[in-house]
Amino acid sequence: MMRLNTGLAAAGLALAVWIAGVAAPAHAAAPVLAVVRKGPVLTLTAGGKPVARFTNSAALEWIEVGGAVIKTAAGPKPVFTLSPNYPNPQDEEEAGDQPNYLFDETGRLFWMIEGQFNPGKSVLLVNQHETFAIDDYEARFSLEDFTRTPHLKFAFKSNCYVEDWVSDTELKARCPRTTARGPVVETDAVVRKVSPTQWRLTEKALPKAKLQVGPTIRPPCSTNW
């Protein structure tokens, strides 16, 4: 998968122009963020002032996903969210899902994400590669707490993936399991925050058939991470 995280102007596919001198003092109220599109040019504005411009090309166009306020260790962080789109992908990397890019109120790149924030915009969920086939499957996910510096990351290795956030501190998950009979079955699971530095994954009910546990797959359990 192609990653445009080196200035976002790789190979001339996109042009981002930052406009200096518009950063607000640290004590000032957060500026109102807006995105204005005029033809092939996408302009990010903060407090009515332009802070960055992106120019589409024949190969790449920028799509506004929306704004948000991320909760960080330094306090609330207003961000723009943009996603790159390839109208005519040249290969599988371009045709695949692309990450979203978060830009702060000064127009600078703040973070690249391939996941979904909780409702409070403080913890990022990332589901890793999933394959569902007999004797060939894997599912991984992680949580990243943006309210800490450096970010506190929880990596779950119990062969489960998350379906959705239920609340800021709870997620609904599924765990693919291979039984001795061969077929893959999925169990229901829940992930809850149990302390400021701990999340717990618990499978609700296990298949009746005997499970096969591979060398890299943890057995079903209540797991703390």
Side-chain angles (χ1 to χ4, degrees), residues 39-213:
V41 179
L42 191 70
T43 303
L44 310 184
T45 67
K49 298 180 180 180
V51 294
R53 294 191 180 98
F54 298 84
T55 301
N56 294 340
S57 68
L60 174 68
E61 61 183 18
W62 290 96
I63 298 176
E64 175 195 1
V65 178
V69 177
I70 307 300
K71 293 181 181 178
T72 71
K77 184 78 170 178
V79 296
F80 304 91
T81 306
L82 301 182
S83 177
N85 176 57
Y86 295 88
N88 300 295
Q90 301 298 311
D91 52 38
E92 292 183 1
E93 290 184 346
E94 291 186 355
D97 293 335
Q98 289 291 324
N100 290 333
Y101 293 88
L102 306 182
F103 296 88
D104 66 15
E105 69 275 14
T106 71
R108 297 289 179 177
L109 180 65
F110 169 66
W111 207 255
M112 180 188 74
I113 66 171
E114 290 184 276
Q116 177 186 5
F117 273 103
N118 62 344
K121 300 293 188 289
S122 59
V123 179
L124 178 68
L125 158 70
V126 178
N127 275 313
Q128 269 87 36
H129 176 67
E130 302 162 21
T131 301
F132 302 103
I134 296 176
D135 297 328
D136 180 19
Y137 64 90
E138 59 179 282
R140 297 286 187 273
F141 72 94
S142 63
L143 301 174
E144 192 165 355
D145 189 343
F146 272 60
T147 64
R148 296 175 177 272
T149 301
H151 298 166
L152 187 58
K153 188 170 184 177
F154 306 85
F156 292 78
K157 301 178 181 179
S158 292
N159 206 56
C160 302
Y161 66 96
V162 171
E163 288 189 319
D164 203 0
W165 285 96
V166 176
S167 67
D168 282 337
T169 57
E170 182 175 332
L171 306 99
K172 179 181 179 183
R174 301 277 288 173
C175 303
R177 299 297 184 191
T178 299
T179 67
R181 299 174 184 173
V184 173
V185 295
E186 291 191 0
T187 63
D188 292 319
V190 62
V191 183
R192 291 191 179 97
K193 186 176 183 179
V194 296
S195 80
T197 58
Q198 189 178 50
W199 292 74
R200 177 175 298 160
L201 166 69
T202 305
E203 290 187 59
K204 296 181 179 180
L206 302 180
K208 295 181 179 180
K210 183 178 180 180
L211 296 177
Q212 293 182 344
V213 180

